[in-house]
Amino acid sequence: MAKIEAKLGMIMDSVGQFFSGKDHLPYCDSDIVAGCEKEVLEAEKLSSDEHMQDCLLRLSWALVHSKHPQDVHRGIAMLEASLPSTKDPLQQREKLYLLAVGYFRNGDYSRSRDLVDRCLTIAPDWRQAVTLKKAIEDKITKDGVIGLGIAATAVGLLAGGIAAAVSRKK
């Protein structure tokens, strides 16, 4: 009996997670973003180019993980601007991943999936990218199921309306 209850509980949890739409990516609050911005300003004044790039990457991370859409947009813009000049494959992988997170947070799942796939060509076993890809695919599946449900409801209502109109004429 306990096994059945445990399996039923697991099924209910997975259904609840499916419809809740929650992802497992960390969020960043405004204080962290502000701290990273301050760090970038300080790095501009007195540090090496390498340190500056590290600070900018941390700021980009904070922005795409922010709960505020305008921060996410800013992070995406920063990463897209810096990506063409990135030669190191590991930094390129990091930036592609962060871009994928940003697009995921914006709801552009197909673009996010493409970027994650590019990450996985660089590092096929990278667990963060694999986890993000699964979250993207789950979100796409969920949106498809909800879309089908809405379409089916609309067709049902339309058919019901037509049937009601036909029955009134008789």
Side-chain angles (χ1 to χ4, degrees):
M1 187 65 154
K3 286 183 181 181
I4 293 172
E5 288 176 358
K7 286 190 183 226
L8 187 58
M10 288 173 48
I11 291 169
M12 294 304 289
D13 287 344
S14 66
V15 169
Q17 287 177 357
F18 180 79
F19 286 107
S20 71
K22 292 182 182 175
D23 59 64
H24 301 287
L25 297 172
Y27 279 99
C28 226
D29 63 12
S30 300
D31 293 340
I32 294 172
V33 171
C36 290
E37 288 172 335
K38 183 179 176 187
E39 184 182 33
V40 167
L41 288 173
E42 290 170 1
E44 284 177 345
K45 296 175 187 169
L46 31 112
S47 60
S48 68
D49 187 51
E50 185 178 327
H51 180 67
M52 179 65 175
Q53 294 306 314
D54 290 343
C55 292
L56 287 170
L57 192 60
R58 280 192 291 277
L59 175 59
S60 298
W61 185 95
L63 289 169
V64 298
H65 285 88
S66 174
K67 292 182 180 182
H68 305 288
Q70 66 272 20
D71 287 343
V72 176
H73 289 295
R74 239 177 84 208
I76 289 171
M78 285 177 63
L79 289 161
E80 285 181 339
S82 70
L83 193 58
S85 64
T86 305
K87 304 297 181 222
D88 178 33
L90 290 178
Q91 278 194 345
Q92 189 176 38
R93 177 193 79 168
E94 290 290 328
K95 289 179 180 183
L96 288 169
Y97 174 78
L98 291 175
L99 270 171
V101 169
Y103 282 113
F104 179 80
R105 289 273 163 84
N106 279 346
D108 190 346
Y109 305 123
S110 62
R111 183 95 186 252
S112 182
R113 182 176 48 198
D114 292 342
L115 290 163
V116 166
D117 286 340
R118 285 177 60 191
C119 285
L120 291 171
T121 60
I122 296 169
D125 296 331
W126 192 23
R127 288 174 46 139
Q128 276 183 292
V130 170
T131 301
L132 179 58
K133 185 170 182 171
K134 180 171 177 4
I136 294 165
E137 290 170 352
D138 289 349
K139 199 73 154 161
I140 289 170
T141 301
K142 175 188 163 201
D143 287 355
V145 168
I146 290 171
L148 286 174
I150 291 170
T153 301
V155 168
L157 290 173
L158 182 63
I162 291 170
V166 168
S167 69
R168 284 187 184 164
K169 286 188 176 183
K170 290 183 178 182

